Amino acid sequence: MPDFTEKTVNFYTGGLDRAAHLRKDEAWLAARLTHPSSRFVPVWRGQNLIAGGASAEPRAVLLTRDALAAVAAESETVLLGVHEDRAYFACDLSPLETPQEAIRAELAAEFVDLRRVGPLLPRGEGSLLAFARGLAYWHSRHRFCGVCGSPTKPEEAGHVRRCTNEDCNAPHFPRTDPAVIMLVHDGERCLLGRQKTWPQGMHSTLAGFVEPGESLEEAVAREVFEETKVTLDRITYHSSQPWPFPASLMLGFHASARSTVIEVDHSELEDARWYEKSWLLTHQDDEQFRLPRRDSIARRLLEDWLGR
Ligand SMILES: [Zn+2]
């Protein structure tokens, strides 16, 4: 198991050497795919394999080659990277109806949504599982060529899919969808909203997808204006976070408000208000108001603004 001890800014990032230079090295890949030291990160229908999922200390469960072979005679694998001379691969077990039965008996583990246990996992494990989940999702959605409709097949250890129609031959690369997420403030207050579908009481920063032909700063200003009619003055980049649920890259910003009158677009938000810094610093999460989840960049943007 990778032990990425360095503290990364955000959850689900960091640590693994992605070893891109080895993705085309067929001999190295073949040797590592059968090597006893290699580890396979199973993904099943968007879920990751976790032991102690209901406990305070869940752990990622990785499979040896033999353990993988016992569950699936064949599975598509993708090289994730190398850490301390050990190769890590993702393997998608989604075609199997009930892989968890064999695995649960052997390893006392089950497939769960990474978000259920993410904040409690060691950071390195969380980032490895998120990477595996993101790539498995991309592969599952790119089995056919978007140019001519023919089947595609993986190349370069799973980091490319190429069209099998020789006249087309188009390569397709893993995609991630950029989304901006912003903590808007006016000095002593910040703007938080909530969507109907969120857990009860949860409030968070505003966010939205970047559109083609748009800069990140434009996307920040547009999303905030669309959702609340608040206009912005100064937009500064904070940090980013992969959010493979299913395929986003969150680009975090702090922004100061030029106007502060809120007019909520109820098709997007249930509510949006200004919250005093002093109130946020003393409030304990309850049914009426709770902060965003601890593994989210939204929480990080907020905590940094609060200075804690
Ligand atoms: Zn094609």
Side-chain angles (χ1 to χ4, degrees):
M1 186 65 59
D3 175 24
F4 310 139
T5 48
E6 70 197 85
K7 188 98 169 171
T8 51
V9 173
N10 293 313
F11 279 77
Y12 308 127
T13 66
L16 193 67
D17 173 3
R18 295 185 172 220
H21 62 291
L22 293 169
R23 291 172 186 168
K24 291 183 190 174
D25 189 337
E26 296 294 339
W28 183 87
L29 286 167
R32 288 296 165 147
L33 278 169
T34 54
H35 199 280
S37 76
S38 295
R39 290 292 179 272
F40 296 82
V41 183
V43 180
W44 183 68
R45 302 182 186 179
Q47 298 182 313
N48 295 94
L49 190 60
I50 300 291
S55 76
E57 293 184 358
R59 296 300 301 257
V61 174
L62 312 187
L63 305 179
T64 61
R65 182 74 212 181
D66 288 348
L68 175 62
V71 177
E74 275 183 21
S75 60
E76 244 178 44
T77 55
V78 177
L79 177 67
L80 297 175
V82 177
H83 185 71
E84 291 176 350
D85 206 34
R86 188 193 291 279
Y88 292 87
F89 295 88
C91 58
D92 190 354
L93 302 179
S94 299
L96 302 178
E97 279 305 317
T98 53
Q100 68 270 39
E101 283 179 13
I103 289 170
R104 192 186 292 132
E106 286 294 312
L107 302 161
E110 60 181 340
F111 285 99
V112 301
D113 190 302
L114 179 55
R115 284 166 290 185
R116 239 179 70 190
V117 293
L120 300 174
L121 283 176
R123 291 290 185 98
E125 294 186 13
S127 99
L128 190 69
L129 266 46
F131 186 15
R133 186 191 201 279
L135 273 175
Y137 177 83
W138 176 76
H139 278 277
S140 73
R141 293 296 189 278
H142 291 80
R143 305 223 164 261
F144 296 91
C145 178
V147 181
C148 76
S150 301
T152 59
K153 63 173 175 42
E155 286 186 356
E156 297 189 24
H159 290 267
V160 180
R161 290 190 76 93
R162 189 175 293 278
C163 179
T164 53
N165 171 3
E166 284 180 14
D167 293 333
C168 174
N169 201 36
H172 301 279
F173 298 94
R175 316 301 302 191
T176 186
D177 302 326
V180 288
I181 182 162
M182 41 280 174
L183 188 285
V184 177
H185 64 88
D186 71 350
E188 284 309 304
R189 301 181 305 167
C190 73
L191 180 59
L192 301 177
R194 83 164 256 111
Q195 293 179 13
K196 267 198 198 75
T197 54
W198 288 353
Q200 190 180 358
M202 193 186 108
H203 289 68
S204 189
T205 53
L206 305 184
F209 286 107
V210 181
E211 296 184 350
E214 184 174 52
S215 72
L216 299 177
E217 294 82 354
E218 285 172 325
V220 169
R222 176 181 56 75
E223 283 289 345
V224 172
F225 186 74
E226 280 177 7
E227 294 181 2
T228 64
K229 293 287 184 288
V230 168
T231 56
L232 304 181
D233 224 6
R234 194 160 33 85
I235 298 168
T236 50
Y237 177 70
H238 179 279
S239 62
S240 63
Q241 179 186 39
W243 193 251
F245 308 106
S248 297
L249 172 67
M250 307 306 294
L251 298 142
F253 291 82
H254 280 167
S256 55
R258 185 187 299 147
S259 70
T260 56
V261 176
I262 297 172
E263 200 180 310
V264 177
D265 174 358
H266 289 284
S267 68
E268 301 231 16
L269 294 176
E270 185 179 67
D271 191 24
R273 291 167 199 229
W274 293 101
Y275 290 87
E276 297 279 346
K277 186 183 274 188
S278 55
W279 185 82
L280 290 166
L281 282 168
T282 53
H283 179 76
Q284 301 289 323
D285 281 353
D286 60 26
E287 297 293 292
Q288 275 70 50
F289 184 95
R290 63 183 67 248
L291 293 175
R293 37 185 310 132
R294 221 158 42 76
D295 56 348
S296 67
I297 188 173
R299 182 65 174 262
R300 181 81 199 180
L301 291 167
L302 193 52
E303 296 287 355
D304 278 5
W305 180 72
L306 292 171
R308 64 182 182 188

